[in-house]
Amino acid sequence: MSTDIQTIRKIAHLARLEFNEEKEQEMLQDLNKILNWVDQLRQLDTEHIEPLIHMSEEVNVLRNDVVQNTVTHEEALLNAPKKDSDYFRVPKVLE
């Protein structure tokens, strides 16, 4: 499979890219290399190959979440630079 310079220009226009003539030629060569590689992949017999779901056999070991209070409300407020009775005071974000 091979593309021409008009295809490169059309793709560049759709992607809002601008190339000079030298870069157009480079892009044309690169795109043709990619398309040739894809053609090589199409020729492979994958009839009896299972689809790859994960890149490795590693499995995440996750613990169950357990709800617990490690810091009391009062202890948390002790570390606050500014507080207002039971709440943290923060600078106004929205006008």
Side-chain angles (χ1 to χ4, degrees), residues 27-42:
M27 293 300 293
L28 180 61
Q29 291 173 359
D30 289 345
L31 185 58
N32 281 328
K33 285 180 188 177
I34 292 169
L35 293 175
N36 289 335
W37 182 71
V38 170
D39 279 341
Q40 287 179 348
L41 289 177
R42 283 190 187 142

Side-chain angles (χ1 to χ4, degrees), residues 39-72:
D39 279 341
Q40 287 179 348
L41 289 177
R42 283 190 187 142
Q43 294 172 8
L44 292 175
D45 179 23
T46 58
E47 183 79 23
H48 304 289
I49 307 294
E50 291 187 31
L52 181 66
I53 297 173
H54 299 287
M55 293 304 291
S56 70
E57 298 296 324
E58 298 294 323
V59 178
N60 288 337
V61 179
L62 303 174
R63 63 171 171 77
N64 292 330
D65 287 336
V66 178
V67 178
Q68 57 185 1
N69 286 332
T70 55
V71 178
T72 66

